[in-house]
Amino acid sequence: REPGRGDKQIIGGDFDNCRDPVTGQASAWVMSKLMDLLPYVEVSPSECGFRWFAYGKLPDGLDSVTGTGPDDLSQEMRDHICEVKPSAQEKLARGENPFNNVEIYEHGRHLTVTGWKQGGFPAELEDRTNSILKFIAPYLKHSKAKGIKASARSEDKHADRESAFKTLARLDIRDVIDCAGFTESGGQLFGPHPTLGSTTGKN
């Protein structure tokens, strides 16, 4: 969350399995949605999709919104994506659509960045709250439909989890890891990695 922006913060989005990693050709549907959103856009690490970021706020305390867009990819694009992403082929085998997946996160998730900026989009993050709300409206309307979900933070859920942690017995690291031969300094234990070893002995 940025100072001076009220309750708006960085929203992270992911369009997955929508870009041909060989030719660079992307889904027309995804590109049209990105042009509507106008966020900062990068090619994803797999080169099969896009990561995007903007300032904004999801409604009703939502953490995330996910879903799937229409499959408008050519067979060649699908084949190239499946070569890089076997999980896409596995979904196809189960009769699921793995292409043009949509993920938007406000909280509780990290998204990797590549620095491979997509041309034609802003170089800096801008407030895109209205565009984001317009984009996710169909997913929220049909949030109970197959393949689309919206998750919200639950203070009760977090409180229950915190309470459960407090009931667990305290566990010492030495009960889990063999620290024989390690040295202790300043409350830290130093020793070589058990299988990889170490040149300093202080991993």
Side-chain angles (χ1 to χ4, degrees):
R1 185 169 297 173
E2 291 291 305
R5 290 188 177 269
D7 60 354
K8 293 185 174 66
Q9 62 187 59
I10 294 176
I11 301 292
D14 188 12
F15 284 112
D16 197 18
N17 297 338
C18 63
R19 179 184 183 274
D20 189 323
V22 177
T23 67
Q25 182 182 358
S27 156
W29 179 82
V30 165
M31 294 308 297
S32 70
K33 296 307 177 184
L34 284 174
M35 291 305 296
D36 289 340
L37 289 165
L38 280 180
Y40 170 83
V41 183
E42 292 186 349
V43 176
S44 65
S46 69
E47 300 185 47
C48 293
F50 299 99
R51 299 283 164 79
W52 60 265
F53 301 90
Y55 289 113
K57 189 81 176 94
L58 295 181
D60 304 322
L62 290 176
D63 284 334
S64 63
V65 176
T66 64
T68 304
D71 177 8
D72 61 352
L73 278 63
S74 69
Q75 189 58 52
E76 180 184 52
M77 294 170 69
R78 296 189 194 99
D79 291 343
H80 289 165
I81 289 171
C82 287
E83 287 176 10
V84 175
K85 304 278 287 290
S87 59
Q89 185 62 53
E90 292 170 3
K91 285 187 176 182
L92 281 175
R94 295 196 298 267
E96 302 173 13
N97 174 25
F99 304 109
N100 288 353
N101 291 331
V102 177
E103 298 178 2
I104 301 177
Y105 297 102
E106 178 181 303
H107 177 82
R109 183 69 180 263
H110 73 273
L111 292 172
T112 54
V113 296
T114 60
W116 303 332
K117 185 178 180 302
Q118 179 71 17
F121 294 93
E124 303 290 337
L125 271 62
E126 300 177 8
D127 187 347
R128 298 300 185 203
T129 301
N130 291 337
S131 298
I132 291 170
L133 293 178
K134 183 178 179 180
F135 172 63
I136 67 175
Y139 296 145
L140 298 181
K141 182 178 180 180
H142 303 289
S143 62
K144 294 183 180 180
K146 183 178 180 182
I148 297 174
K149 65 179 180 179
S151 64
R153 281 190 294 275
S154 167
E155 297 303 327
D156 291 340
K157 178 179 67 177
H158 289 296
D160 291 344
R161 184 183 299 171
E162 187 68 21
S163 176
F165 282 141
K166 289 179 180 178
T167 64
L168 296 175
R170 182 175 177 81
L171 185 65
D172 191 287
I173 191 67
R174 282 169 266 219
D175 295 333
V176 183
I177 298 176
D178 181 6
C179 298
F182 281 32
T183 58
E184 185 170 359
S185 176
Q188 299 184 65
L189 292 166
F190 294 94
H193 190 282
T195 58
L196 302 177
S198 134
T199 56
T200 65
K202 292 187 176 182
N203 288 24

